[in-house]
Amino acid sequence: MPEQLAETADPAAWTCPAPLRDQPVVVMGHGGGGALSAELMEQVFAPAYGNSHLAALTDSAVLELGGARLAFSTDSYVVRPLFFPGGSLGDLAVNGTVNDLAMSGARPAYLSAAFVLEEGVQLSVVERIARSMGAAAEAAGVSIATGDTKVVESGHGDGVYVTTAGVGLVPAGVDIRPQRARPGDAVIVSGPIGLHGVAIMSVREGLEFGVEIASDTAPLADLVAAMLAVTPDIHVLRDPTRGGLGASLNEIARASGTGVLLRERAVPVPDAVVNACGFLGLDPFYVANEGRLVAFVPPSAAEEVLVAMRAHPQGSGAELIGECVPEHPGMVVVATGLGGTRVVDLPLGEQLPRIC
C-alpha cells in the first residue's frame, strides 16, 4: 500500500486529458483559438515575423498602400466533414475570409483560393466544393481572382484543405480594433450562438437531437456596412469562430485592458444548442460560430445600431448582451439568471476540433 501511494503521489505518473502548457510538440489545442493558440502566436510566430502590423493580432491587418487603406487576411480551412447541414468547406472558406476582412470595417473585394488535394479524392467532391465557393463568392460580392493547387500522396492528407486570402478597402474614418474597447461600450451579438459547432459535431459523430441543427455560415460584410452607416465610430468587431463568444470576448478584454460584463439571459442560445451542449458536456459560450459577429459600440449609438442590425437578414436576431466596464480589467464576467456571477475565461484549447 505505501508503495502504491508513493507511485500515485509522483507527478510524473499522473495523466491529464488537457494538453499541458509546456507541450514540446503541436497538439490539437494549438489550433483551437484559445490560450494554446495565443501562446503559439506569441512565443513562435510573433518573434519570428516581428512587425507592427502583426503585433495588433487582429483577424485582418489594415495596411496603407498607394494612398489606400487595405484590409488583408488569410485563413486555412480543414473542417471535417467536408459537407454539413447549412454549408460546406467551400462556402466556409469564402465566408470566413470575407468576415475577417469585414471585422476591420472593410468592404471585401478579392480572394485567392489554394487547394491541397489528397490523391484518390473524387473529382466530383472537388467540383462540388469549387462550385459552392463560386456561389458563396457571388453572394458576398467578391471575386476569386487567383489560386493554386497542390496534390499530396494518399494517406498524407484528409481529402481537401482550402486556404483563402482576401483584400478589401477600409473606409476613411473607420478604426475598428480590439484595443479600442472602452468602459461604457455596449456589447451586441448579431444572432443566436453555437449553431455551427453543434451542426458539425452532430454529423461528425452521427448524433441526433430531435431537430436538424444547421450551420450559421454567412457573409457579414453587408451587415457591417449597415452598422457603419449608423456610425463610423464602432470600436470593435469580431466574428466569434474558434473558441466561440467566450474566447473572442476574452481577447478583446485583454487587448483593451477593460472588463466585460454579460447578462447570461440576454445571450441568445437556441434551445437545440442548449440541449446538445448539455448532452455533450459543452459550454455554448465556447462553441464556434461562422455567421455571427460581436460588436462593441459607444452607448450613444447602441440603440440605433441595434435597430439597423435587426433590419438586416444577418442581424435579425441581434441582442444587447452586456457592456464594457472598468472593473475586473482583462476579464469576462457573466451575471447569471440566479443572481450570481461566473468568470468566462479564455479556453485552453478547443471543445470541438476541426470545425472550420
Side-chain angles (χ1 to χ4, degrees):
M1 183 66 70
E3 291 79 10
Q4 290 177 338
L5 289 174
E7 182 179 350
T8 57
D10 179 8
W14 298 351
T15 61
C16 177
L20 299 178
R21 300 294 283 270
D22 60 352
Q23 182 65 249
V25 299
V26 173
V27 296
M28 290 300 292
H30 282 118
L36 284 173
S37 292
E39 290 177 3
L40 185 65
M41 173 60 71
E42 293 165 2
Q43 297 175 14
V44 177
F45 296 125
Y49 305 154
N51 62 75
S52 59
H53 301 300
L54 186 65
L57 296 179
T58 51
D59 287 337
S60 59
V62 177
L63 313 170
E64 298 278 349
L65 188 64
R69 293 179 72 215
L70 298 177
F72 177 44
S73 184
T74 186
D75 210 340
S76 295
Y77 297 87
V78 297
V79 65
R80 181 170 58 87
L82 299 176
F83 307 97
F84 46 84
S88 70
L89 170 67
D91 51 58
L92 198 63
V94 170
N95 292 337
T97 295
V98 163
N99 292 347
D100 282 347
L101 295 171
M103 296 307 106
S104 293
R107 170 57 68 175
Y110 299 102
L111 302 184
S112 67
F115 280 72
V116 177
L117 308 177
E118 182 183 12
E119 180 185 28
V121 69
Q122 295 292 320
L123 283 175
S124 59
V125 170
V126 180
E127 181 181 16
R128 185 178 171 189
I129 291 170
R131 288 187 178 276
S132 69
M133 290 182 71
E138 182 177 2
V142 298
S143 297
I144 299 176
T146 188
D148 184 41
T149 304
K150 295 293 190 294
V151 177
V152 298
E153 302 89 342
S154 178
H156 290 261
D158 195 8
V160 182
Y161 298 148
V162 176
T163 295
T164 49
V167 294
L169 281 172
V170 181
V174 171
D175 182 16
I176 298 173
R177 48 194 170 87
Q179 293 80 5
R180 291 198 67 218
R182 298 288 183 270
D185 281 356
V187 180
I188 301 172
V189 68
S190 64
I193 65 169
L195 290 166
H196 176 73
V198 172
I200 295 295
M201 181 57 69
S202 65
V203 293
R204 183 185 298 172
E205 305 300 334
L207 301 174
E208 295 184 5
F209 301 108
V211 296
E212 182 179 79
I213 301 174
S215 170
D216 57 5
T217 176
L220 298 173
D222 285 345
L223 173 61
V224 171
M227 297 166 67
L228 290 173
V230 174
T231 174
D233 191 33
I234 292 174
H235 290 168
V236 187
L237 291 173
R238 182 63 62 90
D239 56 334
T241 53
R242 296 177 303 165
L245 183 65
S248 292
L249 292 176
N250 269 279
E251 290 167 359
I252 295 166
R254 295 181 184 196
S256 62
T258 59
V260 176
L261 177 63
L262 302 181
R263 294 180 294 278
E264 188 171 46
R265 289 184 174 176
V267 180
V269 185
D271 289 342
V273 172
V274 172
N275 294 336
C277 287
F279 176 76
L280 296 169
L282 305 178
D283 185 337
F285 276 70
Y286 298 123
V287 177
N289 313 270
E290 288 292 344
R292 300 287 181 256
L293 64 79
V294 60
F296 283 57
V297 180
S300 59
E303 188 58 38
E304 195 174 354
V305 168
L306 191 58
V307 169
M309 293 176 71
R310 288 173 173 170
H312 190 280
Q314 299 305 332
S316 59
E319 295 289 349
L320 176 63
I321 61 172
E323 55 272 336
C324 203
V325 296
E327 295 82 16
H328 50 79
M331 295 178 61
V332 180
V333 173
V334 176
T336 69
L338 298 176
T341 58
R342 66 182 178 98
V343 174
V344 176
D345 204 356
L346 187 68
L348 180 62
E350 186 171 24
Q351 292 186 129
L352 304 174
R354 294 188 59 182
I355 42 72
C356 63

